[in-house]
Amino acid sequence: MKRNKRQAALGFIFITMLIDVIGWGIIIPVIPGLIEKLIQGNISEAAKVGGWLTFAYAITQFVFAPLVGNLSDKYGRRPIILISLFGFTLDYLLLAIAPTITWLFIGRIIAGVTGASITTASAYIADISTPENRAKNFGMIGAAFGLGFIIGPVIGGLLGQYGARVPFYATAVLCFLNFLYGYFVLPESLTNENRRAFNIKRANPVGSFLSLKKYPSLIGLVLAMFILYVASHAIQSNWSFFTMYKFNWDEKMVGLSLGMIGLCVAIVQGVLIRWINPKLGNEKSIYVGFFLYSIGMLLFAFASESWMMFIFLIPYCLGGIAGPALQAVISIQVPENEQGEIQGTLTSLMSASAILGPPIMTGVFYYYTKEDASFTFAGAPFLLGGILMVISAFIAYYSFKNNIKRAEKNTNS
């Protein structure tokens, strides 16, 4: 592929990822109100349904991500990406006109299938990258996620003032324009000689977890990362419901607050971590990060005024130094020729946590805010998330100690 075409293709992949994340972010502030209307219930009941909606999306994506990736190895990246974009368009139109909650679930399942396109987009970047610029090009995916999560919720909050369904129409238009752009501009990146036959045995999400048997020293650290992902859904799956219930926030306020979270995360992970991690080292960064996460969660749980939620973002978002440090420690212990496999396992782990986390956290919120609750405590999911963060820290600590003992034993023998 020529240099100019390669740059245009990279730009398209960046825009594709950006629009995907913006589309996801746009609907977050308005989804509670839409669920309330469809189930004719209150915000507490809507939270419970919202958790299962996220579950439907996550489990579908978990199953289909390896399948979509394998199909792109056989038929090429371009057709899979275009089909995914068109599927996203149909999904958001379905969500916009959904007459019942069942149709909302159907739309989320479609999104789970087409949302697996990030696998194909990542493969596309690998196809057109050189060893020298591969890391930089993959960094574009992270940049798209950060930027999209700042833009999406803010747009959703503003558009949501004109009706709960308006953001869905706007996102459908964005996705369709992206589809048209890709249809006329995006070249194929996978040459015929590099394609392979489709093998259903390789399109298996369970296989990635079984591969951890090869890395016994990593099992504790991977478990700590999994619990971290689950705990984070106290924020990701619960923020809109909690703030609307506790502080009577509207869609605009929810959108602005989520944009602020995105900005804080981008500052910590894009700027501060480059200074903090070399000073502390990976192991201390993990402990400090988990501690700050726990403090942030605890403060959220007992917040009594709206302004507190913004102030308490500081310790919580600073806790973001833990995840990259944990991933770095895991990566260091794996040979260079097996990096792809372990990173794929961590991605599957994130998908699996999105299956468990949302229904757990929104279920806890519902249990402690429903009308016949023994006592009302809307911050219960944050308290649970903080406890899980502490457990993760202890698991990581004992994993480090066991690895040191294992290394000393191997040296003595």
Side-chain angles (χ1 to χ4, degrees):
M1 189 184 293
K2 293 182 179 180
R3 181 178 177 82
N4 289 341
K5 285 189 175 180
R6 187 182 295 121
Q7 291 300 321
L10 271 174
F12 173 81
I13 293 299
F14 175 79
I15 292 170
T16 297
M17 292 291 98
L18 180 62
I19 290 178
D20 281 358
V21 181
I22 287 174
W24 177 56
I26 280 176
I27 69 172
I28 293 176
V30 297
I31 201 74
L34 181 58
I35 295 173
E36 272 190 279
K37 290 179 182 177
L38 291 176
I39 66 172
Q40 297 181 340
N42 56 35
I43 193 71
S44 179
E45 293 165 336
K48 187 178 181 181
V49 175
W52 288 109
L53 275 173
T54 308
F55 170 86
Y57 173 85
I59 195 167
T60 310
Q61 188 176 53
F62 176 71
V63 171
F64 279 88
L67 179 64
V68 169
N70 276 267
L71 286 172
S72 75
D73 283 341
K74 176 175 174 59
Y75 297 106
R77 318 300 186 201
R78 173 184 155 87
I80 302 301
I81 289 174
L82 291 178
I83 289 170
S84 293
L85 288 174
F86 191 72
F88 263 128
T89 304
L90 295 178
D91 166 52
Y92 286 117
L93 281 176
L94 251 182
L95 295 177
I97 63 174
T100 65
I101 196 67
T102 301
W103 282 98
L104 218 58
F105 273 94
I106 293 171
R108 289 286 78 193
I109 289 170
I110 293 173
V113 177
T114 55
S117 61
I118 188 173
T119 305
T120 310
S122 299
Y124 193 106
I125 289 175
D127 293 340
I128 64 176
S129 298
T130 63
E132 293 76 21
N133 65 17
R134 183 163 298 187
K136 181 180 73 175
N137 290 345
F138 273 117
M140 291 176 63
I141 295 179
F145 269 81
L147 188 59
F149 202 72
I150 295 170
I151 297 171
V154 175
I155 294 176
L158 294 172
L159 292 178
Q161 297 178 94
Y162 301 101
R165 298 177 186 266
V166 172
F168 295 98
Y169 285 113
T171 310
V173 171
L174 273 178
C175 288
F176 186 65
L177 290 175
N178 202 18
F179 165 78
L180 290 178
Y181 176 54
Y183 183 81
F184 291 107
V185 174
L186 185 68
E188 178 55 64
S189 64
L190 189 66
T191 59
N192 289 328
E193 57 266 26
N194 288 330
R195 299 186 186 190
R196 64 175 177 83
F198 178 78
N199 185 347
I200 192 65
K201 291 182 180 179
R202 297 177 68 170
N204 177 13
V206 178
S208 60
F209 293 115
L210 296 178
S211 68
L212 284 174
K213 290 180 179 179
K214 295 190 293 185
Y215 317 112
S217 64
L218 298 184
I219 291 176
L221 297 175
V222 170
L223 178 60
M225 180 166 273
F226 176 74
I227 296 173
L228 164 64
Y229 288 152
V230 172
S232 68
H233 278 281
I235 302 291
Q236 294 176 22
S237 301
N238 212 55
W239 183 270
S240 300
F241 298 105
F242 173 81
T243 53
M244 286 180 170
Y245 176 89
K246 181 83 173 180
F247 306 115
N248 202 31
W249 284 6
D250 60 10
E251 290 84 357
K252 180 181 178 181
M253 192 65 178
V254 171
L256 290 172
S257 68
L258 289 170
M260 182 60 69
I261 292 175
L263 180 61
C264 291
V265 169
I267 290 172
V268 171
Q269 304 223 358
V271 181
L272 294 182
I273 198 170
R274 298 171 185 268
W275 176 79
I276 295 173
N277 187 270
K279 296 283 186 183
L280 295 179
N282 285 324
E283 186 173 352
K284 285 184 180 178
S285 292
I286 291 169
Y287 300 145
V288 171
F290 277 129
F291 173 75
L292 290 170
Y293 267 145
S294 301
I295 292 298
M297 289 279 197
L298 188 65
L299 292 171
F300 286 144
F302 294 98
S304 57
E305 300 288 343
S306 286
W307 60 266
M308 293 180 178
M309 300 301 287
F310 290 92
I311 299 298
F312 297 161
L313 281 176
I314 296 173
Y316 176 77
C317 290
L318 283 172
I321 65 174
L326 193 53
Q327 192 165 3
V329 171
I330 292 171
S331 178
I332 289 168
Q333 298 184 49
V334 176
E336 288 293 328
N337 63 351
E338 296 180 8
Q339 286 294 322
E341 185 173 32
I342 191 63
Q343 295 305 324
T345 300
L346 295 180
T347 301
S348 295
L349 205 69
M350 188 181 295
S351 297
S353 72
I355 295 171
L356 292 176
I360 290 174
M361 295 304 177
T362 56
V364 169
F365 177 81
Y366 168 74
Y367 183 82
Y368 285 103
T369 57
K370 62 183 180 178
E371 293 180 359
D372 60 343
S374 54
F375 67 94
T376 301
F377 181 33
F382 297 128
L383 183 59
L384 174 58
I387 293 170
L388 289 175
M389 292 292 185
V390 172
I391 292 172
S392 285
F394 275 106
I395 291 174
Y397 173 79
Y398 283 110
S399 180
F400 277 118
K401 295 305 176 188
N402 287 335
N403 288 345
I404 291 172
K405 290 179 181 178
R406 189 180 290 111
E408 290 175 347
K409 184 178 180 181
N410 291 337
T411 301
N412 294 333
S413 60

